[in-house]
């Protein structure tokens, strides 16, 4: 290792220098204030927890993303959080214990073993909101609306919203009575959208014609709201859960189109890209020119069960650093005052008074800082006065 290599950061790990850091912090505060105005209470879970608590109910895909360490005090295995959802579920179940609807928000760093996407980072600043204790479409619409409002306040336009529902995929697969191995292979083909290979594989499963059509047509149900009408004809007869899922997507699409008429709506009824703990509607937001989803979420009613308190839940998350990189975040700059270095008590009091008024007061340790100031403090007629530069 050369001397220069010692200062290299690991792949997928980055840092924010002053200008970018100011934008990130400004946007973080703005978005948390937005969530508070909607009635969401801020929680700050720990950066790491014992692994059996951190990954409880989270699924194997999240476990792969989690860094593991040994606790030097107890000898137990710990994990650095890669996602907030299971932590917030634990807080709702064991710390708050509210019986009614609970709205919680959070923002903090997470660490992942692999980047999320080709141009992703391993250390996003994850911001999100979750609703516990309500299982109806109303809370799904609320969370989805808050996500879109979050992106709008961050300065993003031309947002395209992608929606799906876990019960549609599960209903089709269940109706075909596939083995777990067949389901896994099918999931891989749905993710890759390899339709010719999908058709060849389905032919080997020995299904009847109707079942084969369900499996091969499902990934083709991808597009605008007309997809839901097609799904109603092709898939709704499969089962009540499938029919209800399609109806829920229709209701959500109507509400979102009314509230956010400029947001594009897209449906992918074979979507399997979400974490395995999701149980209902799943959604993700995209903007042109950016391959990764800029926000995603969905319903996960079962995650609290492993903590001894099963409550319906829905939520979303986004990466504040990604939002800053995609928008022109404007940070109002304080007027800068340069002050001489002095032991004068009167000068010290004047400096503190100016800082309390919102000025940025810098003691002049070099000529560079002095040259960039808007004002200066000078002694005039026996008193310290604020003068223009």
């Amino acid at each position: 290792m050369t001397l220069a290599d010692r200062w290299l950061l690991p792949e997928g790990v980055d840092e924010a220098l002053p200008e970018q850091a100011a934008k990130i912090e400004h946007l973080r505060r703005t978005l948390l204030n937005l969530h508070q105005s909607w009635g969401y209470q801020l929680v700050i879970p720990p950066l790491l927890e014992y692994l059996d608590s951190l990954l409880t109910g989270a699924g194997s895909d999240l476990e792969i993303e989690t860094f593991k360490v040994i606790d030097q005090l107890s000898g137990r295995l710990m994990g650095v959080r890669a996602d907030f959802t299971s932590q917030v579920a634990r807080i709702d179940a064991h710390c708050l214990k509210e019986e009614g609807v609970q709205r919680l928000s959070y923002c903090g760093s997470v660490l992942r073993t692999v980047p999320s996407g080709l141009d992703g980072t391993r250390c996003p600043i994850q911001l999100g909101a979750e609703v516990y204790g309500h299982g109806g479409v109303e809370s799904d619409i609320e969370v989805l609306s808050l996500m879109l409002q979050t992106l709008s306040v961050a300065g993003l336009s031309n947002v395209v919203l992608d929606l799906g529902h876990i019960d549609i995929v599960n209903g089709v697969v269940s109706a075909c009575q596939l083995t777990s191995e067949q389901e896994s292979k099918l999931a891989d083909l749905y993710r890759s959208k390899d339709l010719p290979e999908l058709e060849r594989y389905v032919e080997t499963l020995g299904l009847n014609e109707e079942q084969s059509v369900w499996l091969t047509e499902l990934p083709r149900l991808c597009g605008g709201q007309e997809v839901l009408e097609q799904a109603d004809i092709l898939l709704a007869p499969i089962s009540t859960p499938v029919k209800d899922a399609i109806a829920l997507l229709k209701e959500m699409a109507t509400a979102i189109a009314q509230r956010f008429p400029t947001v594009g709506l897209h449906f992918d009824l074979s979507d399997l890209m979400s974490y395995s703990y999701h149980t209902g509607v799943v959604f993700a937001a995209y903007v042109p020119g950016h391959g990764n989803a800029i926000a995603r979420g969905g319903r996960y009613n079962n995650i609290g069960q492993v903590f001894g308190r099963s409550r319906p839940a829905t939520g979303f998350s986004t990466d504040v650093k990604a939002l800053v990189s995609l928008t022109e975040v404007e940070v109002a700059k304080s007027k800068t005052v340069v002050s001489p270095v002095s032991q004068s008590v009167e000068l010290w009091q004047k400096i503190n008074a100016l800082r309390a008024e919102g000025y940025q007061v810098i003691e002049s340790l070099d000529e560079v800082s002095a040259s960039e100031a808007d004002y200066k403090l000078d002694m005039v007629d026996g008193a310290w006065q604020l003068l223009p530069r």
Side-chain angles (χ1 to χ4, degrees):
M1 177 184 292
T2 66
L3 183 61
D5 290 338
R6 295 180 184 177
W7 317 118
L8 293 177
L9 293 173
E11 183 178 353
V13 175
D14 53 11
E15 57 197 355
L17 300 181
E19 183 177 354
Q20 185 190 26
K23 293 179 179 180
I24 290 172
E25 179 59 16
H26 173 76
L27 185 57
R28 184 191 71 86
R29 295 181 188 183
T30 300
L31 296 179
L32 286 178
N33 287 340
L34 170 68
H35 291 191
Q36 183 184 35
S37 74
W38 281 53
Y40 287 73
Q41 301 179 83
L42 179 66
V43 293
I44 306 177
L47 181 61
L48 75 169
E49 293 189 38
Y50 291 124
L51 202 63
D52 49 5
S53 171
L54 185 65
L55 296 181
T56 296
S60 59
D61 44 4
L62 189 57
E63 182 176 4
I64 294 171
E65 294 184 354
T66 301
F67 277 98
K68 285 89 171 177
V69 296
I70 299 294
D71 181 12
Q72 298 300 309
L73 296 180
S74 67
R76 293 174 62 184
L77 197 59
M78 303 178 75
V80 180
R81 66 177 176 228
D83 183 72
F84 273 90
T85 300
S86 60
Q87 291 186 300
V88 181
R90 175 184 55 75
I91 289 174
D92 174 71
H94 282 292
C95 302
L96 299 177
K97 301 180 181 179
E98 294 288 340
E99 291 302 323
V101 173
Q102 182 73 261
R103 292 175 172 88
L104 302 174
S105 66
Y106 56 82
C107 186
S109 296
V110 298
L111 184 64
R112 293 169 181 160
T113 56
V114 292
S116 34
L118 295 177
D119 56 347
T121 176
R122 291 201 289 172
C123 54
I125 297 177
Q126 190 178 49
L127 176 139
E130 302 182 5
V131 175
Y132 290 88
H134 189 276
V137 65
E138 297 84 0
S139 52
D140 289 319
I141 293 173
E142 176 180 318
V143 162
L144 187 48
S145 297
L146 179 55
M147 183 185 81
L148 293 173
Q149 189 69 35
T150 295
L151 300 180
S152 176
V153 169
L156 288 173
S157 58
N158 300 321
V159 173
V160 176
L161 181 64
D162 189 82
L163 293 114
H165 201 295
I166 297 298
D167 284 351
I168 295 176
V169 182
N170 289 345
V172 171
V173 170
S174 177
C176 294
Q177 298 180 324
L178 303 181
T179 66
S180 58
E181 183 179 346
Q182 290 169 336
E183 288 183 19
S184 178
K185 174 64 175 177
L186 197 66
D188 291 339
L189 292 172
Y190 282 164
R191 288 191 181 97
S192 66
K193 300 294 186 185
D194 189 343
L195 300 184
E197 179 60 27
L198 172 65
E199 292 176 355
R200 287 190 289 269
Y201 179 68
V202 169
E203 288 178 1
T204 69
L205 299 178
L207 304 174
N208 63 41
E209 183 178 353
E210 185 178 38
Q211 291 171 325
S212 297
V213 169
W214 291 340
L215 293 179
T216 55
E217 289 300 312
L218 183 59
R220 292 181 169 89
L221 293 175
C222 183
Q225 293 194 51
E226 71 280 357
V227 163
L228 300 181
E229 301 303 328
Q230 297 167 10
D232 239 346
I233 297 171
L234 179 64
L235 303 180
I238 292 177
S239 66
T240 298
V242 172
K243 182 178 180 179
D244 291 344
I246 296 170
L248 183 142
L249 289 176
K250 287 183 177 181
E251 187 173 352
M252 293 186 68
T254 300
I256 296 303
Q258 291 172 344
R259 294 183 178 188
F260 303 91
T262 62
V263 169
L265 291 176
H266 183 270
F267 300 87
D268 183 354
L269 302 191
S270 66
D271 178 38
L272 291 167
M273 296 300 289
S274 57
Y275 283 132
S276 59
Y277 54 65
H278 281 117
T279 60
V281 62
V282 290
F283 45 82
Y286 296 86
V287 291
H290 188 70
N292 293 333
I294 54 171
R296 62 172 61 248
R299 181 161 288 280
Y300 35 89
N301 288 345
N302 296 332
I303 195 168
Q305 184 175 1
V306 291
F307 296 110
R309 193 165 185 252
S310 182
R311 301 224 299 162
T314 182
F316 81 92
S317 65
T318 185
D319 176 13
V320 179
K321 289 198 293 187
L323 295 182
V324 167
S325 71
L326 292 169
T327 60
E328 292 296 328
V329 177
E330 296 293 334
V331 181
K333 292 185 177 180
S334 301
K335 292 295 185 179
T336 304
V337 180
V338 63
S339 166
V341 178
S342 170
Q343 299 302 317
S344 166
V345 174
E346 290 78 10
L347 177 59
W348 171 250
Q349 292 172 342
K350 182 66 174 180
I351 288 173
N352 282 337
L354 289 172
R355 286 171 176 164
E357 293 175 23
Y359 289 92
Q360 183 183 68
V361 184
I362 302 171
E363 293 187 276
S364 180
L365 299 178
D366 56 40
E367 292 301 320
V368 175
S369 60
S371 66
E372 296 176 350
D374 301 301
Y375 300 92
K376 65 179 178 179
L377 277 171
D378 243 339
M379 179 67 73
V380 179
D381 298 330
W384 291 102
Q385 300 290 333
L386 185 64
L387 302 174
R389 292 278 301 170

